Amino acid sequence: MSLVRRASFWLMLGASLILALSLGTRHGFGLFLSPMSDDFGWGRGVFAFAIALQNLIWGIAQPFTGALADRFGAQRAIIVGGLLYAVGLVLMGLSDSPLSLSLSAGLLIGIGLSGTSFSVILGVVGRAVPVEKRSMAMGIAAAAGSFGQFAMLPGTLGLIGWLGWSAALVALGMMVALIVPLAAMVKDRPQVSQGPQQTLGEALREACSHSGFWLLALGFFVCGFQVVFIGVHLPAYLVDQHLPAIVGTTVLALVGLFNVFGTYVAGWLGGRRSKPRLLSALYLARGVVITLFISVPLTVWTAYAFGIAMGLLWLSTVPLTNGTVATMFGVRNLSMLGGIVFLFHQLGSFLGGWLGGYLYDHTGSYDLVWQISILLSVLAAALNWPVREQPVARLQGVQA
């Protein structure tokens, strides 16, 4: 193995482990909704708002975190993010009021996630591999985050049953602190583009004047709405339908397991087919899966089938969306531009997480949110279809 390949291997391994810890922990937050709400006598809207705030803060912080990673390297962003994430989990475990829950689960963990998740990590990966392997490499890294969801969800449920929800969050905080030493594996240095040099302002103006950039961002809004609504509220929804609590955990674990395959295949296909057209197909498929789920009689097996189908479509949008941004604008400012697109994802995440709890508290049902999710799938498919995956004029004839 050559020195370059060895360095790429260790970088990919470190990036994958960080994503697995970061996203695997984050995807288990829905398991804390019922025990925390029941212990304190809160409606579901209190917990849902804190998680929605987390996603909003994550999205707002992401372009700034990404810009810092692009300019000064990703390690600092990852270390600070890992520390804030770990402290936020510990304080979340000690929360006893809506305010303390929002400050810990919302503010601290939201900022922590901005330094330890897709925009920063995939920016590193995009700069580390040749252009022809970029989509596949992003798919592998995203699949690792999905495997973390599969591996950590049963463990999180076990911790809650063994230690209680409070101590379980403290234990998770100790695990997430491992991100700090893992950052040493992600040796990323800002890359000098082969094309004409850009200032930060020029990069922003170029992207903001490109219609495809905004279409991708608006489509990604839908992704955020759907995955956070399902991730936070599905376990409680299934309990409401008189299924055992373990079924919700198993469904989310199946989402994580099958998304390993979904993101890998999406990354592979993204190197061979139009990424925007693949995104349109994925969003339409989500709409079909959700429609079938709420239309057929609910059983343990239909819930498991939903988890498998959604898993194949879950984060498959991530390598395709980030890969399209890299193709259009190059990789020099990928973490920042990807962070802006991701902000829209997190605006959708805020709305999906909060609206699920709000409408449940006011109607006693999740039916309306499921219907909104189906309509948004059609909208996202329409938004991504006209996007043209080609470099901007500045990069015409220059390899991104």
Side-chain angles (χ1 to χ4, degrees), residues 217 220-221 223-225 227 341-350:
F220 220 24
F221 172 95
C223 179
F225 182 99
V227 300
V341 174
F342 189 73
L343 170 59
F344 282 79
H345 183 282
Q346 295 310 98
L347 292 173
S349 298
F350 174 84

Side-chain angles (χ1 to χ4, degrees), residues 37 46 97 99 120 122 127 177 219 244-245 262 273 288 304 319 326 328 353 399:
S37 299
V46 172
S97 69
L99 177 60
V120 169
L122 294 188
R127 287 187 286 269
R273 299 286 186 271
V288 171
Y304 290 164
M328 292 193 301
Q399 187 181 39

Side-chain angles (χ1 to χ4, degrees), residues 223-235:
C223 179
F225 182 99
Q226 293 172 334
V227 300
V228 171
F229 166 65
I230 292 170
V232 172
H233 294 282
L234 183 65

Side-chain angles (χ1 to χ4, degrees), residues 60-90:
I60 292 172
Q62 193 66 79
F64 300 100
T65 308
L68 290 173
D70 286 333
R71 289 302 184 270
F72 304 109
Q75 281 186 331
R76 295 177 185 178
I78 294 169
I79 290 170
V80 173
L83 288 172
L84 290 175
Y85 197 164
V87 171
L89 282 165
V90 172

Side-chain angles (χ1 to χ4, degrees), residues 359 363 365-373:
L359 290 178
T363 68
S365 169
Y366 288 115
D367 290 349
L368 181 57
V369 193
W370 286 119
Q371 293 163 10
I372 292 171
S373 295

Side-chain angles (χ1 to χ4, degrees), residues 192-324:
V192 177
S193 173
Q194 297 178 15
Q197 298 301 302
Q198 276 188 310
T199 65
L200 187 65
E202 289 170 343
L204 284 170
R205 286 192 294 272
E206 180 180 69
C208 290
S209 65
H210 196 293
S211 62
F213 182 76
W214 294 113
L215 292 173
L216 282 172
L218 291 171
F220 220 24
F221 172 95
V222 175
C223 179
F225 182 99
Q226 293 172 334
V227 300
V228 171
F229 166 65
I230 292 170
V232 172
H233 294 282
L234 183 65
Y237 171 77
L238 295 176
V239 170
D240 290 343
Q241 304 302 312
H242 311 295
L243 294 180
I246 186 64
V247 174
T249 305
T250 304
V251 171
L252 292 182
L254 287 171
V255 168
L257 176 62
F258 280 86
N259 194 41
V260 173
F261 303 103
T263 49
Y264 178 82
V265 172
W268 179 79
L269 286 174
R272 293 160 174 78
R273 299 286 186 271
S274 165
K275 297 180 188 67
R277 298 298 171 88
L278 289 171
L279 284 167
S280 292
L282 283 170
Y283 285 118
L284 283 177
R286 280 191 188 182
V288 171
V289 170
I290 294 172
T291 300
L292 290 174
F293 178 60
I294 65 174
S295 300
V296 303
L298 182 62
T299 67
V300 171
W301 295 109
T302 60
Y304 290 164
F306 176 74
I308 292 170
M310 282 303 298
L312 294 172
L313 307 169
W314 192 250
L315 295 180
S316 302
T317 58
V318 173
L320 298 176
T321 301
N322 281 273
T324 303

Side-chain angles (χ1 to χ4, degrees), residues 147-158:
F147 182 77
Q149 179 181 346
F150 166 70
M152 292 188 67
L153 272 169
T156 299
L157 184 64

